[in-house]
mmCIF file of all heavy atoms in Angstrom:
data_model
loop_
_atom_site.group_PDB
_atom_site.id
_atom_site.type_symbol
_atom_site.label_atom_id
_atom_site.label_comp_id
_atom_site.label_asym_id
_atom_site.label_seq_id
_atom_site.Cartn_x
_atom_site.Cartn_y
_atom_site.Cartn_z
ATOM 1 N N PRO V 1 -18.042 -9.402 34.509
ATOM 2 C CA PRO V 1 -18.323 -8.235 33.644
ATOM 3 C C PRO V 1 -17.863 -8.415 32.184
ATOM 4 O O PRO V 1 -18.390 -7.927 31.183
ATOM 5 C CB PRO V 1 -17.627 -7.055 34.361
ATOM 6 C CG PRO V 1 -17.702 -7.570 35.852
ATOM 7 C CD PRO V 1 -17.383 -9.123 35.692
ATOM 8 N N ALA V 2 -16.594 -9.038 32.030
ATOM 9 C CA ALA V 2 -16.116 -9.179 30.644
ATOM 10 C C ALA V 2 -16.897 -10.174 29.822
ATOM 11 O O ALA V 2 -17.091 -9.844 28.656
ATOM 12 C CB ALA V 2 -14.620 -9.646 30.854
ATOM 13 N N LEU V 3 -17.491 -11.064 30.464
ATOM 14 C CA LEU V 3 -18.423 -12.112 29.665
ATOM 15 C C LEU V 3 -19.604 -11.430 29.223
ATOM 16 O O LEU V 3 -20.103 -11.752 28.125
ATOM 17 C CB LEU V 3 -18.730 -13.252 30.618
ATOM 18 C CG LEU V 3 -17.461 -14.247 30.827
ATOM 19 C CD1 LEU V 3 -17.992 -15.349 31.881
ATOM 20 C CD2 LEU V 3 -16.831 -14.921 29.619
ATOM 21 N N ASP V 4 -20.155 -10.550 30.085
ATOM 22 C CA ASP V 4 -21.345 -9.927 29.648
ATOM 23 C C ASP V 4 -21.032 -8.951 28.393
ATOM 24 O O ASP V 4 -21.978 -8.875 27.541
ATOM 25 C CB ASP V 4 -21.810 -9.011 30.832
ATOM 26 C CG ASP V 4 -22.327 -9.915 32.122
ATOM 27 O OD1 ASP V 4 -22.592 -11.000 31.693
ATOM 28 O OD2 ASP V 4 -22.426 -9.358 33.260
ATOM 29 N N VAL V 5 -19.883 -8.398 28.404
ATOM 30 C CA VAL V 5 -19.674 -7.468 27.315
ATOM 31 C C VAL V 5 -19.607 -8.371 25.929
ATOM 32 O O VAL V 5 -19.993 -7.919 24.970
ATOM 33 C CB VAL V 5 -18.350 -6.805 27.491
ATOM 34 C CG1 VAL V 5 -17.991 -5.885 26.303
ATOM 35 C CG2 VAL V 5 -18.520 -5.816 28.705
ATOM 36 N N VAL V 6 -18.974 -9.467 26.049
ATOM 37 C CA VAL V 6 -18.808 -10.207 24.842
ATOM 38 C C VAL V 6 -20.164 -10.752 24.385
ATOM 39 O O VAL V 6 -20.483 -10.818 23.219
ATOM 40 C CB VAL V 6 -17.936 -11.452 25.120
ATOM 41 C CG1 VAL V 6 -17.744 -12.388 24.016
ATOM 42 C CG2 VAL V 6 -16.494 -10.982 25.414
ATOM 43 N N GLN V 7 -21.040 -11.143 25.390
ATOM 44 C CA GLN V 7 -22.360 -11.639 24.909
ATOM 45 C C GLN V 7 -23.275 -10.602 24.358
ATOM 46 O O GLN V 7 -24.175 -10.850 23.475
ATOM 47 C CB GLN V 7 -23.016 -12.328 26.102
ATOM 48 C CG GLN V 7 -22.244 -13.509 26.462
ATOM 49 C CD GLN V 7 -22.825 -14.280 27.825
ATOM 50 O OE1 GLN V 7 -23.768 -13.640 28.278
ATOM 51 N NE2 GLN V 7 -22.330 -15.279 28.205
ATOM 52 N N GLN V 8 -23.106 -9.353 24.905
ATOM 53 C CA GLN V 8 -23.921 -8.355 24.340
ATOM 54 C C GLN V 8 -23.403 -7.709 23.069
ATOM 55 O O GLN V 8 -24.303 -7.150 22.481
ATOM 56 C CB GLN V 8 -24.003 -7.188 25.406
ATOM 57 C CG GLN V 8 -24.742 -7.623 26.717
ATOM 58 C CD GLN V 8 -24.659 -6.626 27.704
ATOM 59 O OE1 GLN V 8 -24.110 -5.514 27.499
ATOM 60 N NE2 GLN V 8 -25.129 -6.964 29.028
ATOM 61 N N THR V 9 -22.311 -7.921 22.632
ATOM 62 C CA THR V 9 -21.789 -7.171 21.331
ATOM 63 C C THR V 9 -22.553 -7.689 20.181
ATOM 64 O O THR V 9 -22.910 -6.939 19.396
ATOM 65 C CB THR V 9 -20.269 -7.563 21.238
ATOM 66 O OG1 THR V 9 -19.567 -6.876 22.330
ATOM 67 C CG2 THR V 9 -19.719 -6.919 20.013
ATOM 68 N N PRO V 10 -22.744 -9.073 19.956
ATOM 69 C CA PRO V 10 -23.501 -9.497 18.776
ATOM 70 C C PRO V 10 -24.957 -8.956 18.697
ATOM 71 O O PRO V 10 -25.560 -8.660 17.754
ATOM 72 C CB PRO V 10 -23.438 -10.949 18.777
ATOM 73 C CG PRO V 10 -22.318 -11.180 19.707
ATOM 74 C CD PRO V 10 -22.268 -10.194 20.697
ATOM 75 N N ALA V 11 -25.532 -8.892 19.922
ATOM 76 C CA ALA V 11 -26.906 -8.388 19.943
ATOM 77 C C ALA V 11 -27.052 -7.075 19.494
ATOM 78 O O ALA V 11 -27.900 -6.590 18.832
ATOM 79 C CB ALA V 11 -27.429 -8.535 21.351
ATOM 80 N N ARG V 12 -26.088 -6.267 19.815
ATOM 81 C CA ARG V 12 -26.126 -4.799 19.305
ATOM 82 C C ARG V 12 -25.788 -4.773 17.821
ATOM 83 O O ARG V 12 -26.220 -3.844 17.186
ATOM 84 C CB ARG V 12 -25.161 -3.971 20.177
ATOM 85 C CG ARG V 12 -25.525 -3.724 21.591
ATOM 86 C CD ARG V 12 -24.762 -2.632 22.250
ATOM 87 N NE ARG V 12 -23.333 -2.999 22.299
ATOM 88 C CZ ARG V 12 -22.729 -3.564 23.201
ATOM 89 N NH1 ARG V 12 -23.333 -3.990 24.338
ATOM 90 N NH2 ARG V 12 -21.287 -3.802 23.151
ATOM 91 N N SER V 13 -24.886 -5.615 17.331
ATOM 92 C CA SER V 13 -24.589 -5.631 15.848
ATOM 93 C C SER V 13 -25.620 -6.036 14.962
ATOM 94 O O SER V 13 -25.660 -5.773 13.866
ATOM 95 C CB SER V 13 -23.392 -6.520 15.613
ATOM 96 O OG SER V 13 -23.713 -7.882 15.942
ATOM 97 N N ARG V 14 -26.640 -6.690 15.618
ATOM 98 C CA ARG V 14 -27.867 -7.112 14.644
ATOM 99 C C ARG V 14 -28.802 -6.092 14.447
ATOM 100 O O ARG V 14 -29.919 -6.300 13.975
ATOM 101 C CB ARG V 14 -28.469 -8.323 15.234
ATOM 102 C CG ARG V 14 -27.476 -9.593 15.301
ATOM 103 C CD ARG V 14 -28.200 -10.813 15.848
ATOM 104 N NE ARG V 14 -27.303 -11.901 15.918
ATOM 105 C CZ ARG V 14 -27.165 -12.788 14.917
ATOM 106 N NH1 ARG V 14 -27.793 -12.645 13.698
ATOM 107 N NH2 ARG V 14 -26.441 -13.828 14.957
ATOM 108 N N GLU V 15 -28.686 -4.913 14.917
ATOM 109 C CA GLU V 15 -29.682 -3.789 14.768
ATOM 110 C C GLU V 15 -29.126 -2.632 13.960
ATOM 111 O O GLU V 15 -28.581 -1.660 14.445
ATOM 112 C CB GLU V 15 -30.117 -3.222 16.113
ATOM 113 C CG GLU V 15 -30.695 -4.314 17.180
ATOM 114 C CD GLU V 15 -30.949 -3.786 18.478
ATOM 115 O OE1 GLU V 15 -30.802 -2.581 18.695
ATOM 116 O OE2 GLU V 15 -31.488 -4.517 19.418
ATOM 117 N N PRO V 16 -29.126 -2.825 12.676
ATOM 118 C CA PRO V 16 -28.606 -1.784 11.721
ATOM 119 C C PRO V 16 -29.403 -0.530 11.768
ATOM 120 O O PRO V 16 -28.778 0.468 11.565
ATOM 121 C CB PRO V 16 -28.687 -2.512 10.440
ATOM 122 C CG PRO V 16 -29.819 -3.449 10.495
ATOM 123 C CD PRO V 16 -29.675 -3.978 11.804
ATOM 124 N N SER V 17 -30.597 -0.502 12.162
ATOM 125 C CA SER V 17 -31.462 0.671 12.220
ATOM 126 C C SER V 17 -30.870 1.640 13.363
ATOM 127 O O SER V 17 -30.894 2.832 13.231
ATOM 128 C CB SER V 17 -32.905 0.436 12.283
ATOM 129 O OG SER V 17 -33.066 -0.351 13.577
ATOM 130 N N SER V 18 -30.446 1.135 14.350
ATOM 131 C CA SER V 18 -29.983 1.782 15.472
ATOM 132 C C SER V 18 -28.658 2.371 15.293
ATOM 133 O O SER V 18 -28.214 3.340 15.814
ATOM 134 C CB SER V 18 -30.129 1.000 16.718
ATOM 135 O OG SER V 18 -29.368 -0.099 16.723
ATOM 136 N N THR V 19 -27.810 1.513 14.468
ATOM 137 C CA THR V 19 -26.405 1.882 14.347
ATOM 138 C C THR V 19 -26.318 3.144 13.549
ATOM 139 O O THR V 19 -25.368 4.017 13.657
ATOM 140 C CB THR V 19 -25.653 0.823 13.717
ATOM 141 O OG1 THR V 19 -26.162 0.444 12.488
ATOM 142 C CG2 THR V 19 -25.519 -0.359 14.768
ATOM 143 N N TRP V 20 -27.209 3.317 12.471
ATOM 144 C CA TRP V 20 -27.148 4.440 11.575
ATOM 145 C C TRP V 20 -27.668 5.665 12.323
ATOM 146 O O TRP V 20 -27.429 6.837 11.757
ATOM 147 C CB TRP V 20 -27.931 4.210 10.393
ATOM 148 C CG TRP V 20 -27.252 3.163 9.434
ATOM 149 C CD1 TRP V 20 -27.717 1.877 9.330
ATOM 150 C CD2 TRP V 20 -26.202 3.471 8.662
ATOM 151 N NE1 TRP V 20 -26.837 1.360 8.413
ATOM 152 C CE2 TRP V 20 -25.893 2.328 7.889
ATOM 153 C CE3 TRP V 20 -25.309 4.472 8.383
ATOM 154 C CZ2 TRP V 20 -24.924 2.001 7.084
ATOM 155 C CZ3 TRP V 20 -24.350 4.393 7.458
ATOM 156 C CH2 TRP V 20 -24.103 3.162 6.771
ATOM 157 N N SER V 21 -28.199 5.584 13.430
ATOM 158 C CA SER V 21 -28.801 6.885 14.112
ATOM 159 C C SER V 21 -27.772 7.469 14.987
ATOM 160 O O SER V 21 -27.962 8.511 15.506
ATOM 161 C CB SER V 21 -29.941 6.477 15.017
ATOM 162 O OG SER V 21 -29.484 5.566 16.077
ATOM 163 N N THR V 22 -26.499 6.946 15.022
ATOM 164 C CA THR V 22 -25.458 7.509 15.886
ATOM 165 C C THR V 22 -24.392 8.105 14.988
ATOM 166 O O THR V 22 -24.352 7.742 13.747
ATOM 167 C CB THR V 22 -24.845 6.577 16.911
ATOM 168 O OG1 THR V 22 -24.330 5.471 16.089
ATOM 169 C CG2 THR V 22 -25.921 5.998 17.774
ATOM 170 N N ASN V 23 -23.598 8.853 15.467
ATOM 171 C CA ASN V 23 -22.487 9.482 14.752
ATOM 172 C C ASN V 23 -21.276 8.556 14.739
ATOM 173 O O ASN V 23 -20.278 8.812 14.069
ATOM 174 C CB ASN V 23 -22.027 10.752 15.274
ATOM 175 C CG ASN V 23 -23.142 11.799 15.210
ATOM 176 O OD1 ASN V 23 -23.924 11.779 14.180
ATOM 177 N ND2 ASN V 23 -23.182 12.716 16.228
ATOM 178 N N LYS V 24 -21.200 7.376 15.467
ATOM 179 C CA LYS V 24 -20.246 6.470 15.466
ATOM 180 C C LYS V 24 -20.138 5.647 14.261
ATOM 181 O O LYS V 24 -21.153 5.433 13.494
ATOM 182 C CB LYS V 24 -20.244 5.547 16.688
ATOM 183 C CG LYS V 24 -20.079 6.314 18.034
ATOM 184 C CD LYS V 24 -20.165 5.257 19.155
ATOM 185 C CE LYS V 24 -19.903 6.107 20.501
ATOM 186 N NZ LYS V 24 -19.955 5.284 21.582
ATOM 187 N N ARG V 25 -19.043 5.133 13.846
ATOM 188 C CA ARG V 25 -18.835 4.357 12.606
ATOM 189 C C ARG V 25 -19.488 3.038 12.828
ATOM 190 O O ARG V 25 -19.180 2.289 13.926
ATOM 191 C CB ARG V 25 -17.454 4.285 12.294
ATOM 192 C CG ARG V 25 -17.070 3.362 11.035
ATOM 193 C CD ARG V 25 -15.597 3.290 10.770
ATOM 194 N NE ARG V 25 -15.085 4.636 10.816
ATOM 195 C CZ ARG V 25 -13.799 4.876 10.622
ATOM 196 N NH1 ARG V 25 -12.865 3.896 10.804
ATOM 197 N NH2 ARG V 25 -13.305 6.042 10.517
ATOM 198 N N PRO V 26 -20.511 2.624 11.987
ATOM 199 C CA PRO V 26 -21.202 1.321 12.121
ATOM 200 C C PRO V 26 -20.186 0.168 11.918
ATOM 201 O O PRO V 26 -19.364 0.274 11.065
ATOM 202 C CB PRO V 26 -22.444 1.367 11.245
ATOM 203 C CG PRO V 26 -21.901 2.312 10.169
ATOM 204 C CD PRO V 26 -20.968 3.337 10.774
ATOM 205 N N ALA V 27 -20.455 -1.011 12.501
ATOM 206 C CA ALA V 27 -19.822 -2.186 12.229
ATOM 207 C C ALA V 27 -20.315 -2.757 11.009
ATOM 208 O O ALA V 27 -21.460 -2.592 10.562
ATOM 209 C CB ALA V 27 -19.800 -3.202 13.367
ATOM 210 N N PRO V 28 -19.435 -3.371 10.146
ATOM 211 C CA PRO V 28 -19.945 -4.071 8.921
ATOM 212 C C PRO V 28 -20.965 -5.169 9.158
ATOM 213 O O PRO V 28 -20.749 -5.965 10.111
ATOM 214 C CB PRO V 28 -18.674 -4.574 8.223
ATOM 215 C CG PRO V 28 -17.762 -4.726 9.330
ATOM 216 C CD PRO V 28 -18.063 -3.609 10.365
ATOM 217 N N VAL V 29 -21.988 -5.282 8.410
ATOM 218 C CA VAL V 29 -23.002 -6.353 8.400
ATOM 219 C C VAL V 29 -22.765 -7.314 7.371
ATOM 220 O O VAL V 29 -22.847 -6.912 6.201
ATOM 221 C CB VAL V 29 -24.339 -5.654 8.415
ATOM 222 C CG1 VAL V 29 -25.438 -6.762 8.512
ATOM 223 C CG2 VAL V 29 -24.464 -4.655 9.490
ATOM 224 N N ILE V 30 -22.657 -8.553 7.730
ATOM 225 C CA ILE V 30 -22.389 -9.628 6.746
ATOM 226 C C ILE V 30 -23.689 -10.601 6.823
ATOM 227 O O ILE V 30 -23.916 -11.056 7.712
ATOM 228 C CB ILE V 30 -21.133 -10.455 7.027
ATOM 229 C CG1 ILE V 30 -19.927 -9.481 7.082
ATOM 230 C CG2 ILE V 30 -20.939 -11.528 6.184
ATOM 231 C CD1 ILE V 30 -18.626 -10.107 7.592
ATOM 232 N N ASP V 31 -24.247 -10.669 5.621
ATOM 233 C CA ASP V 31 -25.419 -11.580 5.429
ATOM 234 C C ASP V 31 -24.874 -12.889 5.016
ATOM 235 O O ASP V 31 -24.461 -13.147 3.939
ATOM 236 C CB ASP V 31 -26.302 -10.931 4.380
ATOM 237 C CG ASP V 31 -27.717 -11.690 4.376
ATOM 238 O OD1 ASP V 31 -27.836 -12.563 5.366
ATOM 239 O OD2 ASP V 31 -28.489 -11.200 3.629
ATOM 240 N N LEU V 32 -25.083 -13.942 5.975
ATOM 241 C CA LEU V 32 -24.671 -15.212 5.663
ATOM 242 C C LEU V 32 -25.669 -16.140 5.086
ATOM 243 O O LEU V 32 -25.499 -17.215 4.721
ATOM 244 C CB LEU V 32 -24.334 -15.937 7.171
ATOM 245 C CG LEU V 32 -23.234 -15.051 7.872
ATOM 246 C CD1 LEU V 32 -23.004 -15.893 9.297
ATOM 247 C CD2 LEU V 32 -21.919 -15.178 7.109
ATOM 248 N N THR V 33 -26.864 -15.546 4.690
ATOM 249 C CA THR V 33 -27.985 -16.280 4.028
ATOM 250 C C THR V 33 -27.692 -16.233 2.505
ATOM 251 O O THR V 33 -28.516 -16.974 1.817
ATOM 252 C CB THR V 33 -29.325 -15.755 4.329
ATOM 253 O OG1 THR V 33 -29.415 -14.392 3.900
ATOM 254 C CG2 THR V 33 -29.549 -15.702 5.960
ATOM 255 N N VAL V 34 -26.827 -15.519 1.927
ATOM 256 C CA VAL V 34 -26.582 -15.340 0.465
ATOM 257 C C VAL V 34 -25.768 -16.549 0.036
ATOM 258 O O VAL V 34 -24.723 -16.749 0.655
ATOM 259 C CB VAL V 34 -25.963 -13.976 0.100
ATOM 260 C CG1 VAL V 34 -25.792 -13.962 -1.374
ATOM 261 C CG2 VAL V 34 -26.891 -12.909 0.709
#
């Protein structure tokens, strides 16, 4: 169960559109292509 949490965290952080729809504080998004 702990491994599943770690693997699912980046997947959720790559969806900025969904993070702004909640009241929780969004995680910072860093664009590595610049």
Side-chain angles (χ1 to χ4, degrees):
L3 294 175
D4 293 341
V5 175
V6 175
Q7 293 176 359
Q8 293 174 5
T9 302
R12 290 195 298 267
S13 63
R14 292 181 183 273
E15 299 178 0
S17 60
S18 62
T19 56
W20 289 103
S21 62
T22 61
N23 296 328
K24 295 182 179 180
R25 184 179 300 170
V29 180
I30 302 174
D31 191 1
L32 301 179
T33 59
V34 181

